[in-house]
Amino acid sequence: MKQTKSTCCYCGVGCGVIIHSENDVIVDVKGDPDHPANFGRLCTKGSTLHLTAKLDNRLLYPEMRTRREASRERASWDESLDFVADKFARTIQQYGPDSVAFYISGQLLTEDYYVFNKLAKGLIGTNNVDSNSRLCMSSAVAGYKVTLGSDAPPACYEDIDHTNCLLIAGSNTAFAHPIIFRRIEDAKKANPDLKIIVVDPRRTDTAESADLHLAILPGTDVALFNGMLHVLLWEGMLDNAFIKASTTGFEALKDTVREYTPKMVADICGIKESDILTAAKWFGQGPSLSMYCMGLNQSIYGTDKNAALINLHLATGQIGKPGAGPFSLTGQPNAMGGREVGGMANLMSGHRELSNAAHRAEIAQIWGVDSVPEAAGKTAVEMFDAVKAGEIKAIWIACTNPAHSMPDLNNVLEALNQAELVIVQDAFSNTSTGKYADVLLPASTWGEKEGSVTNSERRITRVNPAVAAPAEARHDWAIMVDFAQRLEQRLGKTATLFPYAATEDIFNEHRETTRGRDLDITGLSYSLLNEQGPQQWPFKPGDAAGKARLYADGVFATADGKARFINTSYKATADKIDARHPLHLLTGRLRDQWHGMSRTGTAAQLFNHVEEPFIYMNPDDMSRRLIKDGDIVRVSNKRGSLVLTVKTTDDIQVTQTYIPMHWGSEFMNGLGVNAMMPPLFDKTSKQPELKHTAIKVEKLTLPWRMTVMRAIRDLSSLQKIRGLLPRFQYATCGLFGRQQHGYAGMLIFKAANDESPDLSLIAEIDAILDMTDDMPLLNYQDDKRGISKRILVESSGGEDSGKKVTGIRLVGETIASDWLKEVMTSGEFTAEVRRWALAPLSAPPTGHSGRGKVVCSCLDVSENEIIDAVSRGADLITLQNKLKCGTQCGSCVPELKKLITVHGKV
């Protein structure tokens, strides 16, 4: 078996992985024990990467259409790239360089990013190249730059081990960055005096583990941080010597925060005055480390939120030393690398500023071009607005899914429909954006790619390919080099700017752009990264290692070497609740899913923790609206609507609701939560407000119901079922179970209408799922009441006892869905199941106890098994010893602790 060292392709923790492959097929993945980001640990998503390395939802061949009204057909690479190069050349010559644009991704490798950036800014002459990192990290970037002078996180993972106060703001770290959270758990165990403060409107798994949870009202972060600074000022807990020697602007900020008394802040934030005092004093004692993510970034005042938190560090001198500093948690695996090469509309390679003439001249010289365009390009929201307005004629989208991830999605879809040319370069065939492509280009993906990535702590890791790209899929950088060379010919260029034969050629050129810059990596090489492992920047020639922490000398990356306090004031969210839209809608992540689920949505066991889209509501809000758990509701505002099932929770406050951001049109009848999000963005970072909007919730009466479950061997039937989702008023589809016995898992499809649909639609579903009359079925048909039930039983090779339930279709009456789902999971076909499977029973027959949802995805341990053990006195150690839950990736440990608290013996 071949072993290859690489990295995980999900979040910005940057975990090292060892890929096991046989015969050019990935068969397993393990954590790399030598990688300093994770020391061998992986979360539920990382540990199941090999399950997503299937080809049944991959793009394998180029497809194109030359007319918008035509269907795409398979084409050769030459046909596709010649067509696109011709179109781009004509568009540029007729309308100018800014008539084309590139929208790329924080999941690309640094070398991919570099070629895209050089193609747009160096060859074409447009700064219209932006990244989905604009949606996740641009406010963190802006916050660092306005305060510390550079986009350079000053802290590192090791600081978790040394801090005495950890402030987590706007991040459900337990779900979004699980391996970081494992390290936090270890630090708390090693140092019980460590104080953990979590700032989040919801009581998340992260908040459950906190010593102090500040459940602030949505968008009030700046008020909280200013209030904490007020207390620190009042209590004399500032580092005045550091402020005087290493900062500017404190006097103006001091005048502002004097107004932010604990009483005033408590009223704004909806928390206790005493909690503000406690948080400030813990932070002031230090060493204090803050970790923050989308809750601060995805806001129209995201830069101010980041700066207000950094102000706390500067005022107390909590920066540049072990256990201290502001530390932004990166959302995507290589958002940092993209920023390093300037792969955004306002940046340039090597942390240079597009607005700086000297910086533009330096890059022009390195690239060998006359100049780099001066005017900033269109950022994400602006880019799609320009496409809609006809200013941008052709848009190239790579490795991202804006038809799912952008705010105000109906506006984005209208833009994609109106564009003259849409090119989508992706590895997967199941994205919403792919539907709008005129040209679809198959790219390589995790396990196949080669290059480098940079994680949240500035650590660069060499990415090595374990297997070859399948069929005609190509590496992203290679696609762009091929296209660029074709475009050069059409634009009359006699020499190429893209002479790259391998990723190392690109890395070496990128490396040269960093010489003398704050992120100088001229001491690094592919061979060094392969031999000595991942390294942090800066890393200059002669260095034995990179810098773990920045600004230890009190000198910052500004003109005068001093950090800047930013005079921040609290301002409310873009959308505000009112009589028409009386509820706050918050968004966030699930533990076992990633972004738009184009990858995680192919692994059945990653659905077992949360199987379908819900809106979570506080019980009081549900009671006022006569809504019960499991009811179907319409969620809406002026921009869009969704039809969802309600789930009750005490984890959110009255007037607040919550919908995870992952679910989109691939898994439900609806565009997803982002359809309702405002397109407004931060004036500095241009990052949109994707965490909050105002909504109303209305209960729907949809008496006709259907539930279908089917064991599937590949994802083709799931793809076909997705095409039927819009034909129902409410519909969801997904997976459950595990990949085993030759099956890819179990498909589940739920639908509801106000009246029964045409029988031909049910027949179409039966045909797609191979549950037709000629199959071995248990049948029940009541035409008068509109009820039809089918149980598919297939032989597993033995006698009757060896038969398995491999399909269930309930139409018109679905009371038995839950316990029949348990039967599907086990596959067991017993005499009791035969007797009662078609009966309208909400509870299982004798001998079939329900398992409840799966809590431990790694080892398939369910909630009811855990509750049963806890009710008999089991603590965490006992659960881990007996049931083994929480002993592999550890992602379920916070939930185990919560179940012990709720169900344990007093």
Side-chain angles (χ1 to χ4, degrees):
M1 184 179 292
K2 177 184 171 185
Q3 296 190 7
T4 307
K5 288 199 172 189
S6 187
T7 60
C8 177
C9 59
Y10 291 123
C11 75
V13 175
C15 294
V17 298
I18 299 175
I19 303 170
H20 296 168
S21 58
E22 283 183 324
N23 301 319
D24 215 31
V25 174
I26 294 172
V27 296
D28 195 16
V29 63
K30 300 294 182 187
D32 182 354
D34 298 324
H35 199 291
N38 59 317
F39 297 110
R41 285 173 160 167
L42 291 176
C43 71
T44 53
K45 297 182 288 290
S47 62
T48 53
L49 270 168
H50 59 292
L51 300 181
T52 70
K54 303 182 291 289
L55 299 185
D56 48 2
N57 75 319
R58 289 291 300 275
L59 290 175
L60 299 175
Y61 307 97
E63 297 177 10
M64 61 178 285
R65 61 187 176 196
T66 56
R67 295 176 295 108
R68 179 57 59 90
E69 62 273 16
S71 298
R72 283 195 313 266
E73 296 182 356
R74 180 174 168 179
S76 70
W77 274 103
D78 283 338
E79 288 174 310
S80 302
L81 292 181
D82 279 341
F83 171 73
V84 175
D86 287 340
K87 186 76 171 177
F88 260 61
R90 288 196 303 268
T91 302
I92 292 165
Q93 289 160 354
Q94 184 173 356
Y95 300 104
D98 289 335
S99 63
V100 301
F102 298 87
Y103 186 62
I104 54 180
S105 169
Q107 292 166 73
L108 292 170
L109 303 189
T110 300
E111 292 79 0
D112 302 326
Y113 245 124
Y114 186 88
V115 176
F116 269 105
N117 193 45
K118 187 178 183 182
L119 166 63
K121 297 171 183 175
L123 173 59
I124 295 174
T126 180
N127 289 315
N128 285 343
V129 54
D130 210 44
S131 166
N132 61 13
S133 297
R134 180 72 58 187
L135 309 182
C136 89
M137 293 307 297
S138 53
S139 287
V141 171
Y144 281 137
K145 288 167 73 171
V146 299
T147 56
L148 309 182
S150 176
D151 174 21
C156 62
Y157 298 153
E158 187 185 34
D159 287 317
I160 299 169
D161 308 332
H162 299 292
T163 190
N164 282 332
C165 177
L166 176 59
L167 173 63
I168 301 174
S171 169
N172 185 11
T173 317
F175 278 19
H177 299 93
I179 299 306
I180 294 283
F181 198 72
R182 302 285 82 76
R183 193 155 184 169
I184 293 170
E185 291 171 329
D186 291 345
K188 181 70 171 178
K189 186 176 180 180
N191 176 20
D193 293 330
L194 166 62
K195 300 300 183 184
I196 300 176
I197 306 166
V198 172
V199 182
D200 198 308
R202 296 191 298 128
R203 189 162 186 84
T204 62
D205 275 23
T206 307
E208 284 281 352
S209 301
D211 297 287
L212 177 62
H213 175 208
L214 300 177
I216 62 172
L217 294 174
T220 60
D221 309 79
V222 170
L224 172 65
F225 300 146
N226 281 0
M228 290 174 63
L229 186 52
H230 175 102
V231 174
L232 292 166
L233 181 65
W234 185 262
E235 295 290 333
M237 300 182 76
L238 305 185
D239 188 336
N240 291 305
F242 179 83
I243 293 171
K244 183 177 180 180
S246 298
T247 72
T248 62
F250 184 66
E251 291 303 315
L253 176 61
K254 185 165 66 173
D255 288 342
T256 296
V257 300
R258 280 198 177 106
E259 304 297 321
Y260 284 80
T261 64
K263 174 65 170 67
M264 171 185 169
V265 172
D267 290 342
I268 292 173
C269 296
I271 57 177
K272 298 176 184 177
E273 289 183 59
S274 59
D275 286 347
I276 298 168
L277 293 168
T278 299
K281 290 176 181 178
W282 285 354
F283 189 94
Q285 289 166 4
S288 296
L289 177 69
S290 62
M291 289 182 162
Y292 47 98
C293 201
M294 300 311 154
L296 298 195
N297 296 343
Q298 290 177 333
S299 164
I300 56 169
Y301 303 113
T303 302
D304 282 351
K305 289 182 178 183
N306 277 263
L309 180 54
I310 294 171
N311 284 342
L312 290 175
H313 286 275
L314 296 176
T316 55
Q318 298 293 336
I319 189 170
K321 54 190 179 186
F327 193 2
S328 59
L329 298 178
T330 311
Q332 295 189 89
N334 199 34
M336 183 81 74
R339 286 137 57 186
E340 291 164 6
V341 302
M344 299 181 83
N346 60 320
L347 301 178
M348 298 193 68
S349 296
H351 282 182
R352 289 174 177 84
E353 292 297 321
L354 195 62
S355 58
N356 186 310
H359 287 182
R360 294 197 304 275
E362 289 169 7
I363 291 300
Q365 183 178 9
I366 292 172
W367 284 351
V369 298
D370 293 335
S371 63
V372 174
E374 177 180 352
K378 301 291 188 184
T379 60
V381 173
E382 298 168 324
M383 184 177 289
F384 286 94
D385 285 346
V387 172
K388 182 180 175 182
E391 298 169 24
I392 292 174
K393 310 292 183 182
I395 185 168
W396 193 308
I397 300 167
C399 197
T400 187
N401 190 13
H404 173 273
S405 59
M406 290 287 291
D408 194 9
L409 278 175
N410 284 295
N411 186 63
V412 172
L413 300 190
E414 190 175 345
L416 290 171
N417 271 322
Q418 291 186 11
E420 292 186 9
L421 180 65
V422 176
I423 304 103
V424 174
Q425 178 174 320
D426 209 312
F428 299 105
S429 62
N430 61 343
T431 70
S432 302
T433 306
K435 302 170 189 174
Y436 299 88
D438 298 300
V439 180
L440 203 52
L441 301 176
S444 60
T445 187
W446 175 84
E448 303 155 8
K449 294 172 71 72
E450 180 184 20
S452 60
V453 294
T454 310
N455 73 356
S456 293
E457 62 170 354
R458 297 173 282 105
R459 191 177 297 278
I460 298 172
T461 300
R462 177 88 164 88
V463 175
N464 295 297
V467 297
E472 293 184 14
R474 291 185 180 180
H475 301 311
D476 291 284
W477 70 269
I479 296 171
M480 299 319 299
V481 166
D482 191 347
F483 167 74
Q485 292 174 349
R486 293 170 195 253
L487 185 60
E488 284 173 325
Q489 294 172 6
R490 287 156 176 82
L491 295 179
K493 306 296 182 183
T494 56
T496 184
L497 300 177
F498 306 90
Y500 315 120
T503 56
E504 188 168 12
D505 300 334
I506 306 168
F507 178 87
N508 291 343
E509 185 175 314
H510 156 56
R511 179 180 63 189
E512 188 57 33
T513 71
T514 71
R515 188 177 297 277
R517 306 293 299 165
D518 66 306
L519 72 163
D520 193 325
I521 58 168
T522 50
L524 287 182
S525 64
Y526 270 14
S527 60
L528 187 148
L529 290 171
N530 280 332
E531 293 164 10
Q532 299 183 28
Q535 303 294 329
Q536 289 173 281
W537 59 252
F539 195 110
K540 301 177 183 179
D543 287 349
K547 278 191 179 180
R549 298 171 188 86
L550 305 180
Y551 314 127
D553 56 1
V555 177
F556 293 87
T558 56
D560 60 4
K562 292 187 176 185
R564 307 182 190 98
F565 284 98
I566 302 302
N567 193 0
T568 56
S569 297
Y570 160 68
K571 302 178 186 71
T573 53
D575 285 350
K576 300 163 185 65
I577 59 172
D578 55 27
R580 286 189 173 185
H581 302 101
L583 296 171
H584 298 278
L585 172 59
L586 310 176
T587 69
R589 296 180 182 273
L590 295 172
R591 189 191 75 186
D592 295 350
Q593 296 293 352
W594 173 252
H595 283 196
M597 300 164 62
S598 56
R599 182 185 295 277
T600 54
T602 67
Q605 73 185 67
L606 295 180
F607 286 82
N608 291 337
H609 191 241
V610 178
E611 177 187 288
E612 62 184 278
F614 296 106
I615 179 169
Y616 296 82
M617 294 183 70
N618 183 281
D620 290 349
D621 289 320
M622 293 172 63
S623 177
R624 290 189 190 98
R625 292 163 176 80
L626 303 179
I627 295 171
K628 301 188 299 296
D629 196 72
D631 281 349
I632 295 175
V633 298
R634 176 177 286 111
V635 185
S636 63
N637 64 12
K638 59 187 177 182
R639 286 176 290 270
S641 67
L642 291 174
V643 176
L644 296 167
T645 304
V646 173
K647 204 169 186 64
T648 184
T649 180
D650 292 316
D651 295 339
I652 51 178
Q653 302 176 59
V654 174
T655 76
Q656 296 179 15
T657 65
Y658 173 72
I659 300 175
M661 49 80 78
H662 309 285
W663 309 104
S665 59
E666 299 91 344
F667 298 96
M668 63 189 299
N669 177 16
L671 297 177
V673 69
N674 284 351
M676 293 179 283
M677 290 296 156
L680 302 175
F681 50 75
D682 181 288
K683 66 182 186 300
T684 302
S685 70
K686 303 294 184 74
Q687 181 161 358
E689 183 154 290
L690 282 167
K691 295 293 288 186
H692 174 270
T693 188
I695 58 161
K696 62 180 177 181
V697 174
E698 306 163 278
K699 181 178 177 179
L700 298 182
T701 302
L702 301 176
W704 183 89
R705 302 291 176 96
M706 177 178 69
T707 299
V708 185
M709 294 172 274
R710 183 69 165 100
I712 56 174
R713 298 194 183 277
D714 59 47
L715 300 177
S716 59
S717 54
L718 178 60
Q719 299 276 33
K720 293 175 183 176
I721 288 292
R722 284 172 174 157
L724 304 181
L725 294 175
R727 296 171 68 176
F728 300 91
Q729 290 166 273
Y730 163 84
T732 68
C733 69
L735 302 170
F736 68 95
R738 299 177 82 81
Q739 182 175 321
Q740 56 187 354
H741 307 310
Y743 289 105
M746 313 288 178
L747 177 151
I748 183 165
F749 175 36
K750 295 182 179 180
N753 268 348
D754 53 13
E755 59 183 28
S756 58
D758 191 279
L759 292 177
S760 63
L761 181 53
I762 307 303
E764 188 175 350
I765 293 168
D766 286 344
I768 289 172
L769 298 179
D770 200 16
M771 294 182 66
T772 51
D773 290 337
D774 57 342
M775 296 294 288
L777 299 165
L778 300 180
N779 266 306
Y780 174 81
Q781 193 76 24
D782 186 339
D783 293 334
K784 186 175 181 180
R785 296 170 59 207
I787 296 174
S788 172
K789 301 182 182 183
R790 290 187 168 184
I791 311 293
L792 177 61
V793 183
E794 297 182 275
S795 175
S796 60
E799 297 300 321
D800 189 69
S801 60
K803 291 182 178 180
K804 299 290 184 182
V805 177
T806 59
I808 294 170
R809 194 260 278 149
L810 308 176
V811 171
E813 186 268 289
T814 61
I815 295 173
S817 293
D818 288 345
W819 74 265
L820 286 176
K821 180 171 173 282
E822 303 275 3
V823 171
M824 277 287 294
T825 303
S826 68
E828 185 179 8
F829 185 63
T830 64
E832 284 289 292
V833 170
R834 176 188 287 277
R835 185 177 298 115
W836 297 108
L838 299 174
L841 294 180
S842 59
T846 305
H848 288 268
S849 58
R851 300 182 74 222
K853 74 171 184 178
V854 172
V855 173
C856 177
S857 295
C858 296
L859 295 169
D860 198 33
V861 184
S862 71
E863 185 175 59
N864 288 348
E865 293 173 273
I866 295 164
I867 290 173
D868 180 61
V870 168
S871 65
R872 289 186 277 108
D875 57 11
L876 179 61
I877 294 174
T878 305
L879 288 176
Q880 291 175 321
N881 286 337
K882 288 191 173 182
L883 300 180
K884 304 302 180 185
C885 48
T887 59
Q888 287 203 9
C889 80
S891 296
C892 64
V893 169
E895 192 166 352
L896 297 178
K897 291 178 179 177
K898 186 174 183 178
L899 290 172
I900 291 167
T901 301
V902 173
H903 299 283
K905 291 184 176 180
V906 179

